[in-house]
Amino acid sequence: MCSSDLNVNGDNEGKANTQQNIGDTLLQTKTNWKSLTSSHDHRFVFRLVWIIDSMSGLDFRPSYTLRTSKVEQVYSSNSSSNYDSIINRSANQQEINGKDQTYSHDISYRRRFKKKGNNFFLNNTFSISKSDNDQLTHSENIFYTNQSSNKSFNQLRQRDGNNVRTSVIATLNQQLNKKTYMTLSNNFNYSRENSRFVVFDHDTLSGKYDFYNDSLSYAQLREGYRNTTSISINRGFKKIVVNPGMQLVFVNVNTSFFKVPVIEQQYFYILPSLNISINGVNLGYRIYVTEPSAYDLRPIVDNTNP
């Protein structure tokens, strides 16, 4: 077993001055920003290797990571033109404090057979994580027009999550004859993502973040699996290697939000593939399909950074 500590600190500061010509109007924008970041990672790692016999072995690698982080950001800008000395001013301050814990492991089994080229591989990965993040955001935007306006934004955004992910991959490589190989594999992935976003507005009288903002707060649970079964044939000719394949993909994912009904996603795909190698030149065709994520489906506008 071994442990390690990693501390990372960052300091970033910059200025920018941009000019735009719009007809006879010259628009000038000046921006200033500064950010301070710090993070501390404490990690424990362990590895166990078991040689079962001359043809097979087991490898087990668990780890645990505790991470704390802090980010402070300040941003300001103002705009003017050759007709107006000042058009608008804006300022944005953010402070983010986070704490994350993750346990994960990787366990694999390998088996060789007496016949050359024949082997079996089995692998399982697993991770469980917990995160807790608080973000304070205070921004102010002033617009100087015929009727000046001031828009202020001051919120505490609390985000926590509990996630579980695991996968099991099994692969069998079989030599059919001197020039032909077959690969059979199955890849099963399961995930459960439980997140909560709670927003509080600032109370100017008490100085605290007491007002619960229901319109921007929500909870999210996404759970499901994806299973991919694959078969491919590798056939060699004189200077040509042909590798056709086929995938059967099953997807079953349910996503629920606090304020809307459960969104069910069930898909089935048959995906062909083909790879041809001619004197070291590869030509390939493959299809990749990904279902919409929870971010694509959520009904709440993300105002993390206004």
Side-chain angles (χ1 to χ4, degrees):
M1 177 184 288
C2 66
S3 64
S4 63
D5 285 287
L6 176 64
N7 292 290
V8 179
N9 297 299
D11 187 347
N12 182 30
E13 186 173 357
K15 295 182 179 181
N17 188 357
T18 61
Q19 291 183 339
Q20 294 176 281
N21 288 302
I22 306 173
D24 61 348
T25 302
L26 176 63
L27 179 65
Q28 180 172 296
T29 304
K30 296 181 179 180
T31 59
N32 297 273
W33 67 87
K34 183 177 182 179
S35 66
L36 299 173
T37 61
S38 63
S39 65
H40 175 74
D41 288 35
H42 197 174
R43 189 181 186 198
F44 299 90
V45 181
F46 175 76
R47 184 176 185 183
L48 173 66
V49 178
W50 179 24
I51 306 300
I52 301 173
D53 53 41
S54 61
M55 306 293 285
S56 61
L58 191 70
D59 191 352
F60 178 53
R61 291 175 292 175
S63 68
Y64 171 78
T65 303
L66 174 63
R67 184 174 192 266
T68 57
S69 61
K70 184 174 183 177
V71 179
E72 295 177 281
Q73 300 180 107
V74 178
Y75 172 91
S76 64
S77 70
N78 63 76
S79 300
S80 60
S81 72
N82 53 329
Y83 292 107
D84 300 290
S85 58
I86 183 68
I87 298 175
N88 81 291
R89 297 181 187 273
S90 64
N92 189 331
Q93 292 182 325
Q94 282 190 346
E95 180 179 325
I96 306 171
N97 294 280
K99 182 178 180 181
D100 303 273
Q101 301 179 70
T102 303
Y103 165 80
S104 64
H105 73 237
D106 185 300
I107 182 169
S108 59
Y109 170 79
R110 290 178 172 84
R111 171 73 180 179
R112 292 185 294 111
F113 299 99
K114 293 182 178 180
K115 187 176 180 180
K116 185 180 179 180
N118 293 359
N119 57 76
F120 175 73
F121 174 75
L122 181 65
N123 175 261
N124 167 244
T125 60
F126 174 84
S127 69
I128 181 170
S129 61
K130 180 179 181 181
S131 62
D132 186 3
N133 293 272
D134 289 346
Q135 175 179 311
L136 291 172
T137 302
H138 184 196
S139 67
E140 187 171 8
N141 296 278
I142 303 175
F143 297 90
Y144 300 92
T145 59
N146 294 331
Q147 295 181 347
S148 299
S149 63
N150 187 333
K151 295 183 179 181
S152 181
F153 179 94
N154 196 349
Q155 288 183 341
L156 167 63
R157 187 181 182 92
Q158 296 179 332
R159 174 182 301 185
D160 58 66
N162 294 278
N163 301 325
V164 177
R165 295 183 178 88
T166 188
S167 69
V168 178
I169 302 174
T171 303
L172 176 66
N173 294 304
Q174 189 85 23
Q175 184 177 11
L176 303 181
N177 55 50
K178 291 184 179 181
K179 296 184 178 180
T180 307
Y181 294 85
M182 178 183 68
T183 300
L184 293 172
S185 66
N186 193 82
N187 186 352
F188 176 81
N189 291 273
Y190 167 82
S191 64
R192 187 177 190 274
E193 303 173 0
N194 191 358
S195 303
R196 185 176 65 98
F197 302 84
V198 182
V199 178
F200 295 93
D201 291 320
H202 184 257
D203 182 0
T204 56
L205 295 179
S206 66
K208 299 179 181 180
Y209 294 88
D210 292 337
F211 295 133
Y212 173 68
N213 191 322
D214 181 70
S215 62
L216 296 177
S217 301
Y218 67 96
Q220 168 190 307
L221 175 62
R222 182 175 174 86
E223 183 175 17
Y225 69 87
R226 181 187 184 96
N227 190 82
T228 303
T229 302
S230 306
I231 181 172
S232 65
I233 302 293
N234 189 297
R235 171 66 177 177
F237 300 92
K238 290 183 178 180
K239 295 183 179 181
I240 301 175
V241 178
V242 180
N243 182 211
M246 183 74 70
Q247 287 187 337
L248 303 179
V249 182
F250 298 87
V251 178
N252 190 329
V253 180
N254 292 328
T255 306
S256 61
F257 298 93
F258 181 70
K259 302 172 183 178
V260 298
V262 175
I263 301 173
E264 297 182 356
Q265 296 173 273
Q266 297 180 357
Y267 308 101
F268 171 67
Y269 304 104
I270 300 176
L271 307 177
S273 64
L274 177 64
N275 189 79
I276 301 175
S277 178
I278 305 174
N279 290 329
V281 178
N282 293 317
L283 302 173
Y285 170 79
R286 183 179 294 273
I287 301 175
Y288 295 94
V289 179
T290 302
E291 64 277 3
S293 66
Y295 182 88
D296 299 322
L297 300 173
R298 66 182 182 179
I300 301 297
V301 176
D302 184 4
N303 70 331
T304 302
N305 188 354

